[in-house]
Amino acid sequence: MPIGVESSSIPVLNATNRPAAEAKRSGPREVTVGDVLRDRYVIKNVLGLGGAGTVFEAIDRYRLDLPDSGQRVAVKILHADTAGQSAVMADLRREFQLLQSLSHPNIVRAHEYDRDGDTAFFTMEYLSGLSLEGVLAAHREVVLERSHALMIVRDVAAALEHAHARGVVHGDLNPGNIFITSDGGIRVLDFGAAHTPGESPSLTQSEWDATAYATLRFASCQLLDGERADARDDIYSLACVLYVLLAGKHPFGELNAAQARAQRLKPSRPRGLTGKQWQALRAGLSFDRQHRPADDIAGWLEPFDLPKPEARLPVLLALLKASPRRPQRGDRAMWIVPVLVLGAAGWWASSHMDVVSQTARDAGGDLKDALAGADAAMTRLWQQARSPVSSSPTAQPPAAPQAAPVEKEAPAAAKSPEPSPTIPRAARPRAAGTNSVSASAPASRPSRPRTAVPAMAASTADALPSHARIELSADNVEVPLTDPAAHVLVKRTGNLHADVGFTWWTESGTAKSGQDFMNVKPHEEHFEQGKSVINLFVPVVSDPTRKQPKSFYIVINDPSDGASLGKRTLTMVTIPPSE
């Protein structure tokens, strides 16, 4: 039984009770923000824009008795210039019907198909989060943790298995159609290219053109050659997604499958794969459809030992925390040789200073100055090289460096409480062209355990700052137009040899949470020992109709024991207009 069908409990208007002005409308209209469809769906925001239609966020007036999140739906509407084409209209209805036939937790749910005059549309569940494409862009070529990558593949594979078992082929699987919700759920979206293998092209009254539907770099050779997709073509797309998650790049770079086949390219083996895993992945990436698995996706992925169903992705904010890629073995070897050579030279110079000094005096002191400079350079190189090498589980922790003198501070217990970072409305920074911003802070913040500074040897403690200072790195940050998230740095100075924490959250300004950016409630963050910078991520909503810059705020507060806040506790984030 299809899920999300509300027509049994909600009355549907028909032609006899529409307003007269609506009934007289001669052609489809271009729907914009603020319009109301069927006197029911209030269009609030643009969620996505495609070649044939637009997906909007809307408020369902029949759900006003539900919490705010329960009132929202996604509405897919054809563009006015395509809405009159019977083939495109049939494709929209077919997409809705296929979605309704699929009831699975990893597939977006369809609700209703309806018309407002000549404007056809259907409604789906509203999702808050970010596409996998957006998550990968936020990570900026730093691969996800292997366990997280395999959880994503596990859930997408389950969605495809469910669809294939019911005779539905997706036909356009790619990172842009895989959605990660705010709470870490996975949904497969956009079944606009979907069909059943036995479906006749005459059902859409148009000739099948894969290049009009499929994302070319994730489409198989057969789709690019103009053939109808079958389950094995979904496997090729999933294999490409798996490769991107494991290697951080597409198996054929900027080329699509047809171009790679013409050049007889072979994908390189991602690091960390066993022989069986690589054999399975290569089978999925095969240019020849006959060599790809068809009916047993679970069996194909068995060598990867996918996480159990109860293992879930972390919330989106945690997933967006990109850790630097571990250094390649070649990179370490490149550092080790010069470090050992310089280290040996420094050791010999320090143990034969009488010879060095005498030689330096004979040479007018030039040699002594040169060796002193080389020794300083060696020290800097040694400190830089030890950082990546020490990431190995067997490496010893570095010795505590002598810190430069810092201004002494009173112990945390003796200091007066830090003032709230929520500042008066008049004192808030404002974006150009804005008149007011919201100055409301959350009514309450969750308490969290304090983290004490670990005990140190007396000699080390005397040489190190006893306190850490935490603050935001900038007063203003602008989100690049192509970025799916705002990146805001929090820095720590003073004592780096402790695990300290703080709380952060977002506040609305001219930008509204849920409409322009993803709201972050008070959220705990930690600086691990030795770490001086943390990157905070806040996903922003892509809106092609945004004509003015919008701004919101990131606030930090509540430092743990052993830390205090600096002067900068609030950053204004500006989302630029889309045009």
Side-chain angles (χ1 to χ4, degrees), residues 154-508:
R154 174 201 65 194
D155 290 350
V156 174
L160 289 181
E161 277 194 314
H162 180 82
H164 292 173
R166 285 150 184 80
V168 177
V169 177
H170 187 283
D172 186 23
L173 185 70
N174 67 81
N177 287 337
I178 298 171
F179 197 86
I180 302 177
T181 64
S182 300
D183 61 356
I186 297 291
R187 299 288 193 283
V188 176
L189 313 178
D190 198 355
F191 280 71
H195 64 278
T196 57
E199 183 179 9
S200 169
S202 62
L203 288 177
T204 62
Q205 303 177 16
S206 63
E207 183 179 356
W208 172 255
D209 181 8
T211 60
Y213 289 90
T215 304
L216 300 187
R217 290 174 65 233
F218 290 84
S220 69
C221 293
Q222 289 69 41
L223 266 66
L224 297 175
D225 290 341
E227 298 182 34
R228 299 280 288 183
D230 72 12
R232 293 167 294 183
D233 299 305
D234 281 349
I235 294 296
Y236 176 84
S237 300
L238 181 57
C240 286
V241 171
L242 175 57
Y243 191 99
V244 169
L245 290 171
L246 296 177
K249 59 183 180 181
H250 189 276
F252 304 114
E254 297 300 319
L255 302 181
N256 62 46
Q259 294 166 332
R261 179 182 58 183
Q263 298 184 25
R264 298 184 177 181
L265 297 182
K266 294 182 178 180
S268 58
R269 179 174 175 172
R271 294 179 65 244
L273 291 190
T274 66
K276 289 184 177 180
Q277 290 171 344
W278 179 225
Q279 182 180 3
L281 184 53
R282 279 192 303 178
L285 292 171
S286 175
F287 297 138
D288 188 344
R289 182 184 274 172
Q290 303 300 322
H291 293 163
R292 299 180 215 130
D295 301 326
D296 186 12
I297 299 180
W300 169 56
L301 293 173
E302 185 175 357
F304 292 93
D305 192 21
L306 298 180
K308 301 298 182 184
E310 56 270 17
R312 290 180 53 84
L313 278 175
V315 297
L316 182 59
L317 284 176
L319 190 67
L320 285 171
K321 293 180 185 176
S323 300
R325 185 195 302 270
R326 289 183 180 273
Q328 304 289 331
R329 293 180 181 178
D331 297 338
R332 295 184 182 180
M334 187 173 63
W335 279 105
I336 289 173
V337 173
V339 166
L340 291 178
V341 171
L342 288 174
W347 171 82
W348 183 89
S350 63
S351 59
H352 295 78
M353 282 305 297
D354 54 341
V355 177
V356 172
S357 299
Q358 182 60 44
T359 306
R361 284 194 296 271
D362 294 341
D366 291 341
L367 180 59
K368 184 176 181 181
D369 293 341
L371 282 173
D375 182 65
M378 182 274 294
T379 300
R380 289 194 299 271
L381 184 60
W382 173 251
Q383 291 173 346
Q384 293 172 6
R386 293 191 67 179
S387 179
V389 173
S390 65
S391 65
S392 170
T394 58
Q396 297 298 321
Q402 293 293 325
V406 296
E407 182 180 352
K408 292 186 177 180
E409 301 182 17
K415 297 183 70 175
S416 59
E418 292 287 344
S420 169
T422 302
I423 60 179
R425 182 185 300 270
R428 284 281 180 90
R430 295 181 180 178
T434 61
N435 295 320
S436 64
V437 297
S438 171
S440 61
S444 62
R445 296 186 295 274
S447 61
R448 56 179 172 78
R450 300 287 185 171
T451 305
V453 180
M456 298 183 182
S459 59
T460 304
D462 292 340
L464 292 174
S466 60
H467 220 64
R469 181 178 292 273
I470 300 172
E471 65 178 333
L472 292 157
S473 63
D475 292 316
N476 299 277
V477 171
E478 182 167 336
V479 182
L481 191 59
T482 57
D483 268 19
H487 299 251
V488 178
L489 292 179
V490 182
K491 62 182 182 180
R492 170 172 68 161
T493 57
N495 184 9
L496 305 183
H497 292 265
D499 184 350
V500 296
F502 62 96
T503 300
W504 72 282
W505 65 91
T506 58
E507 292 185 5
S508 294

Side-chain angles (χ1 to χ4, degrees), residues 132-166:
L132 177 58
E133 182 179 41
V135 171
L136 294 174
H139 274 249
R140 296 177 178 178
E141 299 185 356
V142 177
V143 296
L144 298 177
E145 289 186 20
R146 178 66 61 88
S147 61
H148 295 164
L150 294 180
M151 287 179 196
I152 294 171
V153 171
R154 174 201 65 194
D155 290 350
V156 174
L160 289 181
E161 277 194 314
H162 180 82
H164 292 173
R166 285 150 184 80

Side-chain angles (χ1 to χ4, degrees), residues 480-536:
L481 191 59
T482 57
D483 268 19
H487 299 251
V488 178
L489 292 179
V490 182
K491 62 182 182 180
R492 170 172 68 161
T493 57
N495 184 9
L496 305 183
H497 292 265
D499 184 350
V500 296
F502 62 96
T503 300
W504 72 282
W505 65 91
T506 58
E507 292 185 5
S508 294
T510 56
K512 305 303 179 185
S513 66
Q515 178 176 321
D516 299 299
F517 66 96
M518 191 181 84
N519 184 46
V520 179
K521 296 180 180 180
H523 184 79
E524 185 179 348
E525 196 67 67
H526 281 277
F527 283 97
E528 297 177 355
Q529 182 177 357
K531 192 171 184 179
S532 61
V533 174
I534 285 179
N535 200 350
L536 304 181

